[in-house]
Amino acid sequence: MIRVATIKCPIPTTAVTAVVFVCLNMADAWLTRQLLTHEGVEVFWWSSHFNGNIFVKGLLALLVAILLVRLDKAGLLKWLNIAMLFVVLSNGVCFLGYLGSSLYWQTQIATYP
């Protein structure tokens, strides 16, 4: 007979998903701030009040995560993480596109005869 030892996870998955949710929101705020400083425009009117404030966005995300855990809706954090991952990736693509176009125009101006 083979005995298999199992190791219990010392950190609950709810805490991990909550931390991931807060970190994704803070990454979104940072990318938003970077895009706004480079003449970008905030698409969603309700988040234009924060203007990429990482601290405020992190606190709001933490409050939402705590509220969902308290209401026994922690399963929603997984879906919110997936949605926020899409938001962060799309902001990242926009930011990389801006950096690429900025670099392109800088090289064009520098090599202009």
Side-chain angles (χ1 to χ4, degrees):
M1 176 185 272
I2 298 174
R3 293 185 183 205
V4 178
T6 59
I7 300 173
K8 297 207 180 225
C9 183
I11 302 173
T13 57
T14 306
V16 172
T17 55
V19 168
V20 168
F21 181 66
V22 171
C23 289
L24 283 171
N25 273 284
M26 292 174 75
D28 173 45
W30 183 81
L31 284 169
T32 301
R33 181 190 302 167
Q34 296 303 315
L35 288 170
L36 288 175
T37 57
H38 296 293
E39 300 172 1
V41 178
E42 179 64 59
V43 176
F44 301 110
W45 61 271
W46 61 83
S47 46
S48 64
H49 303 293
F50 310 127
N51 290 328
N53 191 338
I54 296 173
F55 182 71
V56 172
K57 188 94 187 247
L59 277 178
L60 286 174
L62 183 63
L63 288 174
V64 167
I66 289 171
L67 185 67
L68 287 174
V69 169
R70 288 287 191 185
L71 295 175
D72 291 330
K73 302 287 183 188
L76 287 175
L77 281 173
K78 178 178 75 171
W79 298 107
L80 287 173
N81 282 340
I82 292 170
M84 281 307 299
L85 183 62
F86 173 73
V87 169
V88 169
L89 287 176
S90 65
N91 277 350
V93 166
C94 289
F95 185 61
L96 288 176
Y98 169 77
L99 287 179
S101 68
S102 175
L103 181 63
Y104 171 77
W105 287 112
Q106 285 177 2
T107 56
Q108 292 299 316
I109 292 170
T111 59
Y112 186 74

